[in-house]
Amino acid sequence: ITDIYRFEQRLELLIEEIRGIDFLKKYNLPFGASIGAIYGVPRSYTSAELIQYSDELMYKAKRAGKGRVIIEELPSKSFPQKLMKTFD
């Protein structure tokens, strides 16, 4: 997907699909989903760095509330200083 707006729309549709799962509704348990997604060219990142960055976005989306979508572009020059400490 080259259009970030369309990407966000598809992720929001996915959240709506999750909310509509009848199997889960029958248990009367509150459930929902939030999605953190990254885009960009990951050439200079290790798999561990991509997973760490994705996890950060997922938790950012969760902190924003149920049913949220957070999409960010991978930084192009260096990994964010906050996350670099994790890999030292």
Side-chain angles (χ1 to χ4, degrees):
I1 298 172
T2 57
D3 181 353
I4 298 306
Y5 179 72
R6 285 182 52 220
F7 182 45
E8 182 177 20
Q9 285 181 318
R10 287 183 182 193
L11 294 176
E12 288 172 354
L13 286 172
L14 178 59
I15 288 173
E16 288 302 315
E17 288 291 321
I18 291 168
R19 283 186 186 144
I21 296 173
D22 290 332
F23 169 77
L24 295 172
K25 286 181 179 179
K26 74 179 183 180
Y27 294 105
N28 267 342
L29 297 172
F31 65 92
S34 294
I35 298 173
I38 56 174
Y39 70 95
V41 181
R43 285 185 211 131
S44 61
Y45 293 93
T46 66
S47 296
E49 290 170 328
L50 291 171
I51 291 168
Q52 178 69 30
Y53 194 60
S54 297
D55 282 349
E56 286 287 324
L57 291 180
M58 178 189 65
Y59 287 111
K60 186 176 183 179
K62 287 177 79 169
R63 285 189 300 271
K66 287 185 178 180
R68 301 299 173 114
V69 172
I70 304 284
I71 302 172
E72 291 185 8
E73 184 174 11
L74 279 168
S76 59
K77 291 187 178 188
S78 65
F79 210 66
Q81 190 64 30
K82 176 181 164 191
L83 298 179
M84 277 302 283
K85 293 177 184 174
T86 304
F87 302 106
D88 290 340

